[in-house]
Amino acid sequence: VRDGQEDFFLIDGELSLFVVADGMGGHRGGATASHLAVDTLQRLARAQVEESPLTSAWFAQAVQQANDEVVAQATADATLKGMGTTLCALAVVQGDGYEALGVVNVGDSRLYIYKDGELDQITEDHSLVATLERQGRLTRAEAAVHPQRNIVTRALGIDAKVMVDSWEIAPVVGDRYLLCSDGLFNEIDDARIAATLRRLADPNDAARELVRLANEAGGRDNITCVIVDVVEDAGKVAAAGGNRILSTVHGADRVLAELRESGEIPVVSVDDDSADETAKVRRRSRFTWRVALFVVVFLAIVAAAIGTIIYTGTSSYYVGFEGDTVAIYQGKPGGVLWIDPELTERTQISRDDVPANVLGDVEAGKELGSLDEARQYVANLEDQIAAQQPRPTPSPGPGASSPSTSSTDTTATTATTAPAQL
Ligand code: MG
């Protein structure tokens, strides 16, 4: 329906490489960016397979290089300034002793898996509405019709470095993958996509039908669908066990890339073979860094959690009963996990003296922010008890200007009304 075509795609059976890219930045810019990114990825893949099989690490690195190309062109040609593109790609990659489906994604094009009648989105959208949805500020339904749903938060061609999400998935015969641009899912919902993938066994028929349905629904954007059926897995899946997704890296490449640049992690050369001792050392060093980073973050989280519990369990005070006597405790009534409240001060007030209106509070443990406030509360209790005695008492002096207003006010009110009650 729409004039101009800024989407671009690749189906390369020889390389087992499948790509969808959705360009932006004016008609010429958008089309240039998506073509350039896809062509670069294909060119790099062709050169790579001459040396050794594609790997996930290579895949993410190749997307970085495609980014470099788009940035370079946008900088060199003033008429292409501001162009960018999404990129979502699937390829057969070689793991350590297994074959997998490698996935890379930048932007809001999507990869879905259709399996056992269920449709699941594998990639995460890098878009404004997806961010708002993750923050709980929009529902999925609201995001689907949001006027700013075409704003992406990540794309190729914007910065010198791009964060690339990547996955490895075990290929299983019968699984069907759908790569598509937002022109599809902004027009028809997941249920209709799933129904079409279920109904039409031929991938070409299914792709055409999806595009037709999206055009029928309005076709306000370019629509691209690439369907990949897994027809053979050569029995390599068994080794992967029940784990469908073998690995996920969310944007960690950027961090790694920066560490590599600063010399803290040596570059893992893509053509190293396993017989090369240097390559082994390099691999191990990178692995160790990842583990070390994980351990540090994990310990920090555990320490923060323990700190929070200890703080919660000890930072406040409460006034409660020790047997039949009122006492001040440090901690929370009943304790927090392993931290029991600690007796801080005993008072002379016995259970029978505690006024009926606050008996329940003290019974449950009256919580107060500090030891001073707890002492103030006890002082007010004493005043209140004194006020209830038959003999007249002076006005409740202490605590009149205390910040713990709630207990002071209650006491003052009770003190003045108590003689009337008697
Ligand atoms: Mg689009």
Side-chain angles (χ1 to χ4, degrees):
V1 172
R2 190 174 146 170
D3 266 355
Q5 175 61 276
E6 296 174 35
D7 283 5
F8 196 55
F9 71 93
L10 172 72
I11 298 172
D12 188 324
E14 225 168 286
L15 289 167
S16 288
L17 173 64
F18 310 91
V19 192
V20 165
D22 180 351
M24 62 203 77
H27 274 198
R28 202 168 88 83
T32 306
S34 58
H35 280 68
L36 188 55
V38 173
D39 289 346
T40 303
L41 199 57
Q42 187 181 29
R43 177 169 54 79
L44 294 171
R46 280 190 178 147
Q48 176 60 28
V49 294
E50 296 293 317
E51 306 286 326
S52 63
L54 307 185
T55 63
S56 284
W58 169 85
F59 213 4
Q61 192 54 45
V63 176
Q64 289 287 353
Q65 283 178 257
N67 180 62
D68 295 346
E69 291 283 336
V70 181
V71 170
Q73 280 259 7
T75 314
D77 185 339
T79 64
L80 297 175
K81 191 167 180 282
M83 73 172 175
T85 185
T86 73
L87 187 136
C88 187
L90 176 73
V92 173
V93 295
Q94 188 65 45
D96 211 358
Y98 59 86
E99 214 168 50
L101 295 173
V103 179
V104 286
N105 183 55
V106 176
D108 69 348
S109 296
R110 288 181 182 174
L111 175 73
Y112 289 96
I113 181 171
Y114 177 76
K115 181 186 178 58
D116 303 329
E118 299 271 334
L119 185 74
D120 281 312
Q121 185 183 336
I122 288 175
T123 51
E124 196 171 82
D125 298 348
H126 305 137
S127 64
L128 178 68
V129 291
T131 304
L132 293 173
E133 199 185 317
R134 280 192 288 277
Q135 292 170 348
R137 291 158 70 183
L138 283 182
T139 64
R140 177 100 179 178
E142 285 166 346
V145 295
H146 197 279
Q148 289 176 313
R149 64 181 181 274
N150 61 343
I151 294 179
V152 294
T153 51
R154 276 196 229 170
L156 270 64
I158 310 302
D159 282 320
K161 285 264 181 293
V162 67
M163 278 201 279
V164 183
D165 288 354
S166 81
W167 295 260
E168 274 185 12
I169 305 170
V172 176
V173 171
D175 287 357
R176 170 168 268 193
Y177 289 90
L178 166 66
L179 293 122
C180 62
S181 60
D182 63 343
L184 178 72
F185 57 81
N186 278 341
E187 299 293 2
I188 62 172
D189 62 18
D190 286 3
R192 287 197 84 185
I193 296 173
T196 307
L197 295 176
R198 183 179 308 125
R199 190 159 53 84
L200 298 168
D202 182 276
N204 289 299
D205 291 348
R208 282 197 195 90
E209 177 64 2
L210 286 173
V211 173
R212 192 190 67 76
L213 287 171
N215 271 320
E216 197 179 71
R220 280 153 283 203
D221 195 0
N222 300 137
I223 307 148
T224 303
C225 298
V226 171
I227 295 175
V228 181
D229 288 334
V230 181
V231 294
E232 184 238 326
D233 61 21
K236 287 161 186 150
V237 184
N243 279 347
R244 294 212 38 76
I245 293 186
L246 303 175
S247 73
T248 309
V249 179
H250 278 284
D253 294 82
R254 183 186 198 153
V255 179
L256 287 171
E258 279 165 6
L259 288 170
R260 274 188 210 118
E261 259 179 9
S262 65
E264 292 183 73
I265 298 179
V267 176
V268 178
S269 75
V270 286
D271 58 355
D272 55 5
D273 70 48
S274 50
D276 183 340
E277 276 306 312
T278 327
K280 272 186 189 164
V281 170
R282 283 173 175 174
R283 273 210 187 109
R284 195 170 58 221
S285 122
R286 178 178 162 199
F287 176 76
T288 309
W289 256 101
R290 275 187 174 163
V291 171
L293 206 63
F294 170 77
V295 169
V296 168
V297 171
F298 178 77
L299 290 178
I301 291 169
V302 169
I306 292 173
T308 306
I309 292 165
I310 290 175
Y311 179 79
T312 311
T314 58
S315 67
S316 62
Y317 290 80
Y318 72 91
V319 175
F321 283 113
E322 188 211 11
D324 278 333
T325 311
V326 173
I328 297 173
Y329 289 88
Q330 184 178 16
K332 293 270 182 199
V336 176
L337 296 182
W338 68 91
I339 303 169
D340 290 327
E342 204 169 303
L343 179 66
T344 308
E345 283 175 18
R346 291 194 175 84
T347 72
Q348 303 297 321
I349 308 171
S350 75
R351 184 184 292 269
D352 297 339
D353 294 335
V354 176
N357 62 333
V358 294
L359 186 60
D361 285 352
V362 179
E363 203 86 66
K366 173 69 185 174
E367 293 189 58
L368 295 141
S370 67
L371 183 57
D372 276 352
E373 285 178 43
R375 284 173 176 155
Q376 188 64 59
Y377 184 84
V378 169
N380 286 332
L381 266 185
E382 282 165 346
D383 287 345
Q384 208 177 329
I385 292 160
Q388 282 179 347
Q389 304 301 319
R391 60 188 164 78
T393 55
S395 67
S401 61
S402 156
S404 59
T405 48
S406 64
S407 59
T408 309
D409 288 348
T410 313
T411 313
T413 311
T414 317
T416 48
T417 56
Q421 283 169 357
L422 291 169

